[in-house]
């Protein structure tokens, strides 16, 4: 297991220098690939990889249909400004097909993992002749997977899976000793704008981690709209993370004077330092009230909005 470097111990410049050298020594004069999702970890690893390898790092954004509103274009435009070319790969159908009919959380995660690493990435890596995948796995991802809480989509070696054998390429994980607070410091030192290194965490399985029950195009649209409203409304709270979850249960509501057996959105807003433990933010009731109205007005089919008041543990930050 890798030795943890806490955010307090971390010297970002020294860390960047060491990791750059390490990446160069592994990749040599070959090619590496990385998948950018626009989250803090993958954005930081993209900048680190480009500092080490320049154009020999090919960066792709996998549009899996599970991302937030406008995300692929927004991320590609942002990195273009930083001198990094991002290729957007449309794999929406493939992910939706793989998720069809699945309701069990761990099976959902497995379907996403296999689609991502074996199928979509397998093809991209083969076509590019790269032998290495640079990935932003952090210590918290490993802790939860090894503890058997959630199989994080990007953890293999610690589960006894050799990526080279399983998928045909090696995975390099330069951020593996850090937690989120440490990654933010490194991202900042690498020149990422505050809008990126301060961005709230977003999970690898993306909105599929926020849909309880089957993930369909319609249900993704619902949770995507709610996510956008929640992110806009809670941005000024400075909380660690805030999100919307779509429940599977329906409840009776009233829409335009008629019975509507509608959907339920749960809002979560967390105070946390490193995601290992978290408590719900004590939001003002007026804020919650306004948020609920906005969700009900703007997200078709939703008749109920709840706010989570349980802590992690025993809750987790995401719902799946
Ligand atoms: P949980 O839900 O396990 O999340 O308390 C801890 C932190 O990790 C982020 N994150 C993920 N969560 N699956 C997850 O469930 C993933 O693959 C993943 N990747 C990142 C999550 O958003 C929270 O900040």
């Amino acid at each position: 297991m890798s030795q943890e470097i806490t955010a307090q111990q971390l010297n970002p410049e020294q860390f960047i220098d060491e990791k750059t050298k390490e990446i160069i020594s592994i990749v040599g004069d070959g090619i590496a690939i990385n998948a950018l999702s626009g989250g803090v970890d993958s954005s930081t690893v993209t900048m680190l990889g480009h500092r080490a390898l320049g154009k020999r790092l090919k960066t792709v954004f996998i549009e899996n249909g599970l991302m937030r509103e406008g995300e692929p274009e927004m991320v590609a435009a942002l990195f273009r400004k930083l001198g990094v070319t991002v290729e957007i790969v449309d794999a929406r159908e493939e992910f939706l097909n793989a998720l069809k009919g699945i309701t069990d959380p761990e099976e959902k995660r497995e379907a996403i993992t296999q689609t991502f690493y074996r199928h979509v990435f397998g093809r991209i890596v083969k076509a590019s002749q790269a032998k290495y995948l640079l990935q932003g796995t952090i210590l918290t991802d490993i802790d939860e997977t090894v503890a058997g809480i959630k199989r994080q989509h990007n953890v293999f070696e610690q589960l006894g899976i050799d990526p080279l054998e399983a998928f045909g390429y090696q995975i390099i994980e330069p951020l593996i000793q850090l937690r989120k607070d440490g990654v933010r410091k490194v991202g900042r030192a690498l020149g990422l704008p505050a809008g990126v290194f301060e961005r709230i965490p977003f999970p690898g399985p993306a909105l599929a981690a926020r849909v309880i029950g089957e993930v369909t195009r319609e249900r993704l649209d619902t949770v995507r709209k709610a996510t956008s409203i929640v992110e806009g409304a809670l941005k000024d709270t400075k909380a660690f993370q805030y999100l919307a979850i779509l429940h599977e249960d329906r409840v009776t509501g009233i829409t335009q004077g008629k019975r509507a057996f509608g959907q339920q959105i749960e809002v979560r807003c967390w105070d946390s330092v490193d995601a290992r433990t978290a408590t719900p933010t004590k939001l003002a009731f007026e804020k919650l009230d306004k948020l609920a109205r906005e969700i009900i007005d703007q997200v078709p089919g939703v008749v109920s909005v709840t706010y989570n008041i349980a802590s992690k543990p025993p809750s987790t930050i995401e719902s799946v």
Side-chain angles (χ1 to χ4, degrees):
M1 186 70 127
S2 308
Q3 182 74 36
E4 174 169 1
I5 305 174
T6 63
Q8 289 72 32
Q9 291 165 340
L10 177 74
N11 174 335
E13 278 73 27
Q14 190 189 331
F15 180 89
I16 293 165
D17 195 45
E18 278 170 19
K19 293 297 162 186
T20 310
K21 287 186 183 133
E22 215 173 285
I23 295 169
I24 294 171
S25 77
I26 298 172
V27 179
D29 54 10
I31 301 167
I33 285 208
N34 84 304
L36 171 65
S37 70
V40 186
D41 307 338
S42 76
S43 296
T44 302
V45 114
T46 299
M47 293 306 284
L48 194 60
H50 275 270
R51 186 168 289 195
L53 303 172
K55 294 243 178 284
R56 286 186 297 118
L57 177 69
K58 184 176 147 77
T59 298
V60 296
F61 184 105
I62 311 284
E63 164 54 302
N64 53 16
L66 312 172
M67 293 300 187
R68 285 171 286 186
E69 218 144 81
E71 198 73 4
E73 299 73 24
M74 194 270 280
V75 173
L78 196 143
F79 274 83
R80 203 175 304 127
K81 274 197 209 142
L82 296 168
V84 177
T85 307
V86 181
E87 186 192 334
I88 300 176
V89 176
D90 185 358
R92 283 175 293 184
E93 287 300 320
E94 214 164 336
F95 277 89
L96 271 180
N97 283 335
L99 287 164
K100 206 172 266 172
I102 299 178
T103 52
D104 177 79
E106 290 296 308
E107 281 178 31
K108 225 181 249 181
R109 284 165 180 274
E110 183 61 12
I112 292 171
T113 298
Q114 292 301 329
T115 308
F116 188 89
Y117 289 94
R118 189 179 301 281
H119 303 301
V120 177
F121 243 96
R123 275 200 305 275
I124 297 174
V125 171
K126 208 171 268 168
S128 73
Q129 300 193 323
K131 290 193 177 63
Y132 303 94
L133 174 66
L134 210 61
Q135 173 166 280
T137 321
I138 65 169
L139 207 48
T140 318
D141 299 339
I142 294 178
D143 285 350
E144 299 211 340
T145 303
V146 173
I149 296 168
K150 280 182 192 183
R151 161 80 198 274
Q152 306 269 320
H153 81 297
N154 51 1
V155 176
F156 301 104
E157 240 167 70
Q158 293 76 7
L159 294 176
I161 301 166
D162 177 1
L164 190 58
E165 217 168 86
F167 312 122
Y169 49 83
Q170 214 169 307
I171 298 184
I172 307 173
E173 298 172 314
L175 308 181
I176 202 104
Q177 292 164 278
L178 305 179
R179 297 193 187 273
K180 197 64 87 185
D181 43 354
V183 180
R184 291 192 207 281
K185 278 181 138 181
V186 174
R188 171 188 212 140
L190 281 164
L192 283 174
V196 177
F197 72 75
E198 280 174 1
R199 209 167 183 204
I200 55 169
F202 189 68
L207 296 176
R210 297 175 180 177
V211 171
I212 303 177
E214 190 180 2
V215 178
T216 62
R217 199 184 300 271
E218 294 70 34
R219 303 193 76 217
L220 282 166
D221 283 347
T222 304
V223 84
R224 186 177 290 116
K225 282 201 182 87
T227 301
S228 212
I229 297 167
V230 169
E231 288 194 356
L234 301 186
K235 198 157 56 200
D236 63 356
T237 60
K238 303 269 184 260
F240 177 81
Q241 196 167 351
Y242 29 88
L243 51 131
I245 290 163
L246 175 61
H247 279 242
E248 195 171 22
D249 288 347
R250 288 178 172 251
V251 289
T252 299
I254 311 159
T255 305
Q256 288 163 346
K258 289 212 173 70
R259 177 183 191 272
F261 198 42
Q263 311 204 68
Q264 300 190 73
I265 289 288
E266 176 187 332
V267 175
R268 294 182 175 190
C269 182
W270 297 107
D271 290 337
S272 177
V273 174
D274 56 18
R276 281 188 287 183
T277 59
T279 51
T281 307
K282 293 189 176 73
L283 295 176
F285 192 80
E286 291 69 32
K287 197 167 199 67
L288 287 169
D289 182 43
K290 187 162 170 273
L291 178 56
R293 283 171 203 277
E294 261 183 80
I295 292 173
I296 286 175
D297 283 349
Q298 295 173 36
V299 189
V302 174
V303 297
S304 163
V305 177
T306 57
Y307 183 58
N308 168 65
I309 50 171
S311 296
K312 172 184 179 175
S315 269
T316 59
I317 289 179
E318 306 290 343
S319 63
V320 165

